[in-house]
Amino acid sequence: GAGVSQSPSNKVTEKGKDVELRCDPISGHTALYWYRQSLGQGLEFLIYFQGNSAPDKSGLPSDRFSAERTGGSVSTLTIQRTQQEDSAVYLCASSPGTANTGELFFGEGSRLTVL
Amino acid sequence: SQQGEEDPQALSIQEGENATMNCSYKTSINNLQWYRQNSGRGLVHLILIRSNEREKHSGRLRVTLDTSKKSSSLLITASRAADTASYFCARWRRDSSYKLIFGSGTRLLVRP
């Protein structure tokens, strides 16, 4: 696609439910990143994919968080048994090359609200 | 903490004035980047400056980098109301890490 696409754009869920957030990166981009942004804060790194593998998942805050990427393209971030502190904007970004170089291209984010 | 240090946290100026935002970091870098985020939107890349560069221009943007002081600044000249946004610096860690580390951001308000 023309840009990084994320869905849903907004998600309201009840505490304890599972949620899935989807990211469709720019076609041909091999690197994919997930970040989390709490209200008025900076970006917190969650996980990085190169192709389908995740060399760096050190930012996932707990074992309730997981992510996968299939076909070197679409990625899904899953949060199990959501908590109120999971409320944030989840941003996905992609880049054409390997890590440590260049700029990231961001999607518009998925705003998660846990009641 | 993954957060760098940016100052000021918030800046309010009149249209036409210049806006300067500063960013400091602690580790060695390959390059440093600046991004812009409009309220409720994703981030957009503005400019990248490499570790062997001291100054770079793009339109009304001027970025400086002082690796000896581990600091960078972003200057927006002749600001416009449309420049109202949050601005973040970001840098790749110069080790095996794959993280692009973002600062905490500066919220800029340009009053018409």
Side-chain angles (χ1 to χ4, degrees), chain A residues 4-26:
Chain A
V4 177
S5 177
Q6 291 188 246
S7 61
S9 55
N10 279 286
K11 175 72 176 179
V12 180
T13 190
E14 293 179 349
K15 177 182 173 181
K17 296 287 178 92
D18 297 352
V19 296
E20 283 190 355
L21 306 176
R22 175 189 167 104
C23 173
D24 198 345
I26 293 172

Side-chain angles (χ1 to χ4, degrees), chain A residues 7-85:
Chain A
S7 61
S9 55
N10 279 286
K11 175 72 176 179
V12 180
T13 190
E14 293 179 349
K15 177 182 173 181
K17 296 287 178 92
D18 297 352
V19 296
E20 283 190 355
L21 306 176
R22 175 189 167 104
C23 173
D24 198 345
I26 293 172
S27 178
H29 280 195
T30 57
L32 186 147
Y33 302 80
W34 284 98
Y35 286 85
R36 178 168 73 173
Q37 186 177 31
S38 299
L39 186 63
Q41 301 297 310
L43 276 70
E44 176 189 5
F45 169 85
L46 297 179
I47 189 170
Y48 154 69
F49 286 94
Q50 183 62 240
N52 291 338
S53 64
D56 191 345
K57 53 180 75 173
S58 62
L60 294 178
S62 75
D63 58 8
R64 296 186 296 104
F65 287 72
S66 63
E68 65 174 13
R69 188 179 185 194
T70 55
S73 181
V74 172
S75 175
T76 302
L77 177 68
T78 301
I79 308 173
Q80 296 179 310
R81 305 181 302 281
T82 52
Q83 304 294 312
Q84 289 183 331
E85 61 263 29

Side-chain angles (χ1 to χ4, degrees), chain B:
Chain B
S1 167
Q2 296 184 51
Q3 303 291 346
E5 294 181 11
E6 291 185 53
D7 74 272
Q9 288 188 328
L11 180 61
S12 179
I13 59 174
Q14 201 71 34
E15 201 165 29
E17 293 179 340
N18 295 342
T20 300
M21 290 158 265
N22 303 295
C23 167
S24 62
Y25 57 92
K26 296 181 179 178
T27 59
S28 295
I29 59 171
N30 288 329
N31 60 57
L32 187 139
Q33 307 174 38
W34 286 88
Y35 287 79
R36 167 193 167 125
Q37 183 180 36
N38 285 8
S39 179
R41 306 295 296 275
L43 279 75
V44 174
H45 181 263
L46 294 176
I47 194 166
L48 180 152
I49 185 165
R50 303 191 187 285
S51 59
N52 61 354
E53 298 177 309
R54 292 296 169 257
E55 188 171 312
K56 198 162 184 180
H57 297 255
S58 177
R60 293 183 297 112
L61 304 181
R62 173 184 166 233
V63 169
T64 62
L65 179 65
D66 187 335
T67 53
S68 66
K69 295 181 179 178
K70 290 187 167 56
S71 67
S72 175
S73 66
L74 171 67
L75 169 68
I76 304 175
T77 60
S79 64
R80 305 166 181 168
D83 294 330
T84 294
S86 291
Y87 293 82
F88 295 89
C89 68
R91 56 269 180 208
W92 293 104
R93 285 174 53 155
R94 205 178 182 184
D95 53 20
S96 60
S97 167
Y98 298 103
K99 305 180 187 66
L100 184 63
I101 306 296
F102 285 83
S104 51
T106 294
R107 295 187 306 279
L108 174 65
L109 172 64
V110 182
R111 303 186 305 276

